[in-house]
Each structure stands twice: as structure tokens, then as C-alpha cells.
Amino acid sequence: MPKTKWTTCGKGLHDLTDPANVFPKANGERQCRPCRAAAQKAAAQKAAKERAEREGRTWRPRATIEGQDCELESCDLPRHRRYCSTHEKRFQTHGDPYEDVPIGPKHGRQKSLAERRAEIQAEK
């Protein structure tokens, strides 16, 4: 029986003809990247919930404040407390949300926020 050439994902939502949108699975099937990301997020939340239950804790997913963006003017991501998750993490870690340092990709070796801030100020 010949293989069927699929043009949309299993949910019929995303285009599989664009190679940048396709993730090849180990069994040879193809999955669109947005559906894969959603499945990974759901699996991570399920694992976190199960881990919390094993440890006897209650688990609640991180909620965003509906209709409100990060307090920083340069950021339009939804906020969790005062800032979006990235700026909140920066504030908790460094005591400064580093508003002037843009949120960048999370792969490869990253320079420290202080180094990135110095480079940005040197360019100005």
C-alpha cells in the first residue's frame, strides 16, 4: 500500500508542506512543530503535577494575568506577577529585570546579562 502524502497535521490545523514547520519523528512520521510544542508542554505539566502529588504538595499551573502585559514598556508579553516570566526570572536572580537587554534565543552559549547590557550601551 503506498504511503499517503499528508499536507496538514493530524489535527488539520497546520501546513506540513513547509519543511520549516515539520518535525520528523523517530518512527518516520511527521508532526508539525506547533502541535509538537503543545504536546511537550502538556507532558511537562502532567509530569510536574504527578511529581507534586508524589511529594504530597498541591500543584497549580502558572497563571497569567488576563489582559495585562509585562510592566516594562519595552515588553508586551503577558505577565505573571509584575513582569513576564523572563523578566520576573531576571529580577529574582539579579535584582534587576534588565529592561534594556532584549529577550534573546535560549540556545548556544549566552553572554551574561551584564555583558549584553555593556555591549548595547557601547553601541549607542
Side-chain angles (χ1 to χ4, degrees):
M1 178 171 234
K3 281 191 170 182
T4 306
K5 181 141 177 110
W6 298 100
T7 57
T8 59
C9 69
K11 294 181 181 180
L13 301 174
H14 306 102
D15 180 26
L16 290 180
T17 58
D18 180 13
N21 194 34
V22 176
F23 179 80
K25 294 168 111 179
N27 62 1
E29 294 178 4
R30 300 181 311 160
Q31 185 178 25
C32 68
R33 290 192 186 273
C35 287
R36 179 174 186 260
Q40 286 179 327
K41 182 176 181 179
Q45 284 187 342
K46 181 180 177 185
K49 183 177 182 181
E50 290 172 353
R51 186 171 48 251
E53 288 173 354
R54 279 194 310 269
E55 295 171 358
R57 298 180 288 119
T58 56
W59 178 82
R60 291 183 197 95
R62 179 175 235 184
T64 59
I65 300 172
E66 291 296 323
Q68 295 185 13
D69 293 339
C70 183
E71 271 189 11
L72 304 177
E73 292 179 14
S74 63
C75 183
D76 59 353
L77 295 173
R79 71 184 199 176
H80 299 283
R81 291 188 188 104
R82 185 174 21 187
Y83 306 115
C84 66
S85 60
T86 302
H87 287 118
E88 185 70 33
K89 180 74 173 173
R90 288 178 178 181
F91 181 76
Q92 289 173 355
T93 305
H94 306 288
D96 181 2
Y98 285 92
E99 179 179 9
D100 55 336
V101 179
I103 298 172
K106 293 183 178 180
H107 59 287
R109 188 207 172 276
Q110 295 287 311
K111 294 180 180 175
S112 73
L113 290 171
E115 289 173 336
R116 289 171 57 196
R117 176 182 270 175
E119 284 180 359
I120 290 169
Q121 290 175 345
E123 290 173 2
K124 291 181 181 178

